[in-house]
Amino acid sequence: MRLKTIAASLVAITLATGSALCAAQAKTEITVARFFGACDADYGKAVDASKARGECGIITTLINEFNATNKDGIVVKPQIAEWGPYYDQLSARIVAKDVPTITVMHESVLGDYVARKLVEPLDDSFKAVGIRTDQFSEQAQRGTQIGGKTYALPFDTWSWLWHINGNLMKKAGLTNADGSATLPQSPEELLAQARKFKAATGKAYLGWPTSDTAANFRNLVTLVAQQNGTLFAANGKQIDMHSKPARNALELMNTLYAEGLIKPNMDYGAANQAFINGDVGVHIVGTWTIGDFVDAADKADSPLKGGYSVVPFAKIYAKKAAFADGHSWVMLKGGAKDDKTRQAALTFMKFLWERDYEWARTGHLPANSTATAREDFKKLPFRSNILEISSIGVSVPSNVPRQRAIEAIVGEEMVNMLLTKKPIDAVQKSAEERVNKLLSTVR
């Protein structure tokens, strides 16, 4: 009898151990490299994305939610990086063959990675898991499809907006009969309204992070496009900083800054804080801040209380246009080590695609047209104001390589123009020479 008991116990232990091993073996781990910040203190254990707020909160919770609910034993391990050095770190990881399974990537840099044959085309894979590329928004198609192939899953379209303090606009006498802000429609009107605003409120009309290279470059692209101009040759191999539209844009920004109509010396964080504190009338920054500014405006003592609104970049020149880009998810070659991992990655990408509405609550426009059509999306604050971005958004063409480096060079020269009074002629010359030298080295 005793021997039977011992034997039964051994069998039970063996079965339990075997079950545990099978369970462990059944797990498929994938890694997801991303920026968007770290917020584990607030969202580390959250599993309901519908209750999360902001970029970091929503993406963190989406991953938690997937890990908690998927029935396929897939475990997503986020690999969070700082935004600034993100692409340098990614290049280093590719060289070291430490490639993440899935990687977030701006659509503006996707062309570089495709040209270097580092990204997998995904049309057949998307079709196999039920991701329909015909549901990509028009802007998302332009951003993720190169040479007739789809290289990324679009996550959103983001753009450059005017965030407005209507309370200060009212004080300056710059409101319409319906209470909306009176917006300029020419360079002359912009300067006149900005001067009137400053005289009435004692504050700068505009705020944008003038010490930030990206912000300056995006403003330049926007203002040039509004004049039906372009910064780049059709083949993407040269920049023209001496065109009339480029000169007009630089002169306008220089005048605004020199007259104190832009709040000076602000980086990204300081510019956001200045708007929340009621120090400027218009803050030029992206779609992703809408949720945060709505939250700020809800506070009883907020200078934005009852007065916050947001519109696309105002039409200063001949046509509506605003810089636009998008976040997307790619599978770099070498990231998925086997078919099981690859299938797990596609399963997670489909999950993100089907939850695009939750991501759009950040303020970004959905890349999935089914999310845009949802009634709850249409009811989100100010979305009807900015939907036209899908038609007026303008990006640097995908055949222009090294866009991040170009943004840094041109933006740096513009920072010098604004903050150190470098002459516009010198800015045009040095920006053009530096960028064209860079482009001449790209094979």
Side-chain angles (χ1 to χ4, degrees), residues 35 83 87 103-114 136-146 151-158 323-330 353 365-368 395-400 403-404:
F35 36 78
W83 149 240
Y87 290 107
T103 303
V104 72
M105 185 171 287
H106 288 90
E107 292 168 3
S108 56
V109 305
L110 179 62
D112 268 341
Y113 286 81
V114 172
F136 290 12
S137 70
E138 185 179 342
Q139 181 75 22
Q141 287 182 21
R142 285 196 294 268
T144 59
Q145 296 176 345
I146 299 173
Y151 286 94
L153 179 73
F155 204 28
D156 59 48
T157 291
W158 58 263
F323 179 88
D325 198 345
H327 300 113
S328 65
W329 301 100
V330 305
W353 182 240
L365 292 172
N368 188 333
S395 306
V396 175
S398 62
N399 68 340
V400 177
Q403 292 191 21
R404 290 291 153 181

Side-chain angles (χ1 to χ4, degrees), residues 284-357:
I284 303 176
V285 74
T287 45
W288 56 89
T289 57
I290 291 178
D292 292 335
F293 290 160
V294 168
D295 288 346
D298 282 343
K299 296 177 180 177
D301 59 347
S302 170
L304 298 170
K305 182 71 176 179
Y308 172 59
S309 64
V310 59
V311 297
F313 200 108
K315 186 175 82 67
I316 305 299
Y317 292 100
K319 72 173 186 180
K320 290 183 177 180
F323 179 88
D325 198 345
H327 300 113
S328 65
W329 301 100
V330 305
M331 293 184 68
L332 294 169
K333 293 181 179 177
K337 305 302 183 187
D338 51 44
D339 288 343
K340 188 178 181 182
T341 307
R342 178 183 176 79
Q343 186 59 40
L346 290 166
T347 300
F348 177 62
M349 292 172 88
K350 185 182 181 186
F351 171 84
L352 292 178
W353 182 240
E354 292 174 342
R355 305 303 302 275
D356 202 35
Y357 163 76

Side-chain angles (χ1 to χ4, degrees), residues 9-27:
S9 297
L10 288 173
V11 169
I13 292 170
T14 302
L15 289 174
T17 303
S19 298
L21 286 173
C22 287
Q25 290 170 352
K27 297 290 185 184

Side-chain angles (χ1 to χ4, degrees), residues 28 30 32 62 66-67 69-76 101-102 122 125-126 128-131 153 331 339-355:
T28 305
I30 61 174
V32 175
L62 279 171
F66 178 82
N67 283 336
T69 60
N70 86 86
K71 308 295 185 187
D72 303 309
I74 301 169
V75 179
V76 176
T101 318
I102 298 173
L122 293 168
S125 298
F126 283 169
V129 297
I131 296 174
L153 179 73
M331 293 184 68
D339 288 343
K340 188 178 181 182
T341 307
R342 178 183 176 79
Q343 186 59 40
L346 290 166
T347 300
F348 177 62
M349 292 172 88
K350 185 182 181 186
F351 171 84
L352 292 178
W353 182 240
E354 292 174 342
R355 305 303 302 275

